[in-house]
Amino acid sequence: DTAVSQTPKYLVTQMGNDKSIKCEQNLGHDTMYWYKQDSKKFLKIMFSYNNKELIINETVPNRFSPKSPDKAHLNLHINSLELGDSAVYFCASSPTGGGQPQHFGDGTRLSIL
Amino acid sequence: DQQVKQNSPSLSVQEGRISILNCDYTNSMFDYFLWYKKYPAEGPTFLISISSIKDKNEDGRFTVFLNKSAKHLSLHIVPSQPGDSAVYFCAASRGSSNTGKLIFGQGTTLQVKP
């Protein structure tokens, strides 16, 4: 039974398009995250939601908009895709509180043509 | 400014021997440290963590050591097994911030040879 699931696993699209990535967790966690892993393999946090409330918003272009309809779901919508958006995007979840281990999905590989 | 660094991009060890992966950090406000393992095409999987009030935490074949004065931690795997071959990420957080924000190092690729 998958704990954190992301869809799609692969996303290939043209520059300028708008796309969404969905994430769902069945662990009962209150906090969910989006990370970006760039070509240099760095994992960097983008956003975090706690009980549907945005608590972390790193310096991310406003073309990226997270949406949390409920605490089990955190979706990522990206407008006007650019070449530099090509990366692997990971969703994660954890119980509330610092130092709690985060559980990651398997990632969505986004390729911009 | 890279606050968490893993200076060895790769490490190769023989099966049965010890693997030692290192991690350095610069922010003295970090008080939780975690290690993750990642296989290709999968997400990172939590391995082991340590709080800054401890200097050692052990879980089976995995032990993490923390040296706060040196701002250094290491992950020891004994004995190493071929299935341990993966990318290992060190991560740090400020527990007091309560946001759960993790700062990751760039990873070390471990290869365990049979």
Side-chain angles (χ1 to χ4, degrees), chain B residues 94-106:
Chain B
R94 291 176 54 185
S96 57
S97 75
N98 216 35
T99 63
K101 178 178 175 179
L102 290 180
I103 307 295
F104 281 86
Q106 65 269 52

Side-chain angles (χ1 to χ4, degrees), chain B residues 8 13-14 19 43 46 48-49 71 78-80 96-97 102 104-106:
Chain B
S8 299
V13 300
Q14 209 64 37
S19 296
F46 170 71
I48 191 169
S49 63
K71 295 192 178 68
V78 182
S80 300
S96 57
S97 75
L102 290 180
F104 281 86
Q106 65 269 52

Side-chain angles (χ1 to χ4, degrees), chain B residues 33-86:
Chain B
F33 304 90
L34 305 91
W35 284 94
Y36 283 80
K37 178 169 76 172
K38 185 184 179 304
Y39 293 119
E42 294 184 11
T45 302
F46 170 71
L47 264 181
I48 191 169
S49 63
I50 188 167
S51 159
S52 60
I53 63 173
K54 295 185 175 182
D55 53 20
K56 176 183 174 181
N57 189 24
E58 192 172 352
D59 183 1
R61 296 186 298 114
F62 302 92
T63 303
V64 56
F65 295 92
L66 175 63
N67 182 334
K68 283 180 297 196
S69 60
K71 295 192 178 68
H72 176 84
L73 63 154
S74 60
L75 175 69
H76 292 211
I77 306 173
V78 182
S80 300
Q81 299 172 354
D84 296 330
S85 297

Side-chain angles (χ1 to χ4, degrees), chain A residues 83-103:
Chain A
L83 289 174
D85 298 333
S86 293
V88 182
Y89 293 84
F90 289 98
C91 176
S93 73
S94 76
T96 300
Q100 296 285 348
Q102 295 175 17
H103 298 254

Side-chain angles (χ1 to χ4, degrees), chain A residues 9 42 58 97 99 102 105-106, chain B residues 2 36 41 43 93 98 100-101 106:
Chain A
K9 193 169 177 68
F42 282 101
E58 293 293 298
Q102 295 175 17
D106 284 340
Chain B
Q2 199 180 331
Y36 283 80
S93 78
N98 216 35
K101 178 178 175 179
Q106 65 269 52

Side-chain angles (χ1 to χ4, degrees), chain A residues 3-4 25-33 35 48-51 55-56 71 92-104, chain B residues 32 34 36 46 93-95 97-102:
Chain A
V4 181
Q25 56 96 3
N26 62 6
L27 297 167
H29 292 160
D30 292 326
T31 308
M32 295 185 72
Y33 311 82
Y35 286 85
S48 174
Y49 271 74
N50 180 269
N51 277 316
I55 57 170
I56 296 176
K71 74 174 194 176
S93 73
S94 76
T96 300
Q100 296 285 348
Q102 295 175 17
H103 298 254
F104 284 79
Chain B
Y32 281 96
L34 305 91
Y36 283 80
F46 170 71
S93 78
R94 291 176 54 185
S97 75
N98 216 35
T99 63
K101 178 178 175 179
L102 290 180

